[in-house]
Amino acid sequence: MKDLTGYPEGYRQIPVALQDGDGNISYQPPAFNQAPHLMNAFFSWLYTSVTGCMSAYDSEIIQEKKLHPLLISGITHHLIGYVHPFPDGNGRTARAYSTLVGLIHNDLSKIKDAFSVEEYFDKRIEDYYDTLMMATQGDLKPFLIFYLECVNASLTRVLNELQRYDKIKYMREILGKSHARTMFELIARMEDGEVFHRQLFDDTLDASSSSIAKNLSKLKDLGVIKPGENRGEYMISIVD
């Protein structure tokens, strides 16, 4: 937060309130003098939820106390927003830190550079704020469900991208240097579900109409395109 706020260090020493678009107070966080206590309680809970130990001085592991990292991640996101421990930057801190604790999971840490739920918050911004508000009022379940749905969407996108990469690599190998390979390279730049017309190839390839038709049929048989609704239209389906 350096150079982004007049209060770059430490917990807030001032009262803050969140306002809606009309300037009305939509959420009043706890008093600033409660922030250190609440954050200490959070870190204690976090340690137990990750390790199963009640404290750093306790070696006994209670499996029932351990939570899945994605649940820890969602609760962390809510908690930082609820306490609002800093004068500014609480939203970005909540998003960054919840991602960090979520990557405790070995499977998630392997895709840490691709895993992000923020874009799905933006796509469902009203659900995001509505469920967060419900969480501040004591009902955390709707937000956790929403959070996990966004995580699932993000992971599904990563999986689809990996599958698409593998399919493109495979198709390049089996198509060699044919006209079909050139046609495939053009459509591989498009998104799955995108519709194009065969005129694309008529305008760009030095090939006969019959050759283009033959290779379109080949790409269709390989499952990377599907017939569209109108004559001469096709839809990209490299993964789907």
Side-chain angles (χ1 to χ4, degrees):
M1 294 302 297
K2 184 179 179 182
D3 299 328
L4 296 178
T5 177
Y7 307 92
E9 298 177 358
Y11 293 144
R12 59 184 169 93
Q13 298 294 318
I14 56 173
V16 295
L18 304 186
Q19 298 180 334
D20 59 24
D22 298 323
N24 302 313
I25 294 178
S26 58
Y27 174 60
Q28 181 72 62
F32 67 87
N33 57 4
Q34 296 182 29
H37 168 71
L38 291 172
M39 291 304 293
N40 285 339
F42 161 68
F43 286 120
S44 178
W45 168 85
L46 180 62
Y47 185 85
T48 299
S49 298
V50 171
T51 66
C53 298
M54 297 305 295
S55 74
Y57 305 101
D58 189 352
S59 60
E60 180 185 2
I61 297 177
I62 305 174
Q63 291 296 334
E64 293 78 10
K65 293 290 185 181
K66 297 177 70 173
L67 290 180
H68 191 283
L70 287 179
L71 289 176
I72 295 175
S73 177
I75 293 171
T76 294
H77 187 103
H78 154 67
L79 194 284
I80 292 178
Y82 171 76
V83 176
H84 237 65
F86 307 107
D88 198 5
N90 291 281
R92 70 191 71 188
T93 301
R95 290 189 291 272
Y97 199 60
S98 63
T99 300
L100 177 64
V101 297
L103 295 178
I104 293 170
H105 196 291
N106 290 334
D107 291 340
L108 297 180
S109 65
K110 295 174 183 177
I111 57 170
K112 61 182 181 297
D113 293 332
F115 172 64
S116 173
V117 298
E118 290 185 42
E119 63 180 290
Y120 297 97
F121 291 164
D122 292 338
K123 292 177 180 178
R124 299 177 56 187
I125 195 67
E126 290 187 3
D127 291 336
Y128 173 64
Y129 284 119
D130 287 346
T131 56
L132 262 183
M133 189 57 62
M134 294 173 69
T136 62
Q137 296 169 357
D139 187 2
L140 191 55
K141 184 177 179 179
F143 175 71
L144 288 179
I145 292 174
F146 165 78
Y147 188 82
L148 293 176
E149 287 174 349
C150 291
V151 168
N152 182 64
S154 179
L155 293 178
T156 299
R157 178 183 60 80
V158 174
L159 177 61
N160 288 339
E161 288 181 356
L162 291 174
Q163 291 176 335
R164 200 173 200 272
Y165 173 82
D166 289 341
K167 184 75 172 284
I168 289 174
K169 182 179 179 181
Y170 170 71
M171 293 300 300
R172 285 170 174 164
E173 291 174 354
I174 68 172
L175 291 174
K177 297 182 179 179
S178 64
H179 271 135
R181 161 73 180 268
T182 303
M183 293 165 66
F184 176 73
E185 293 292 353
L186 287 173
I187 67 173
R189 301 174 186 175
M190 305 178 191
E191 298 290 335
D192 282 9
E194 190 171 343
V195 175
F196 70 94
H197 197 277
R198 66 156 286 161
Q199 191 69 37
L200 168 69
F201 303 124
D202 292 329
D203 294 341
T204 58
L205 293 184
D206 183 17
S208 66
S209 179
S210 60
S211 176
I212 290 174
K214 176 182 176 181
N215 286 303
L216 278 170
S217 179
K218 184 175 183 178
L219 293 175
K220 186 170 63 174
D221 291 341
L222 288 170
V224 296
I225 61 173
K226 297 178 181 179
E229 294 182 358
N230 301 312
R231 182 179 176 84
E233 284 186 347
Y234 296 89
M235 183 175 67
I236 309 297
S237 60
I238 294 176
V239 173
D240 184 16

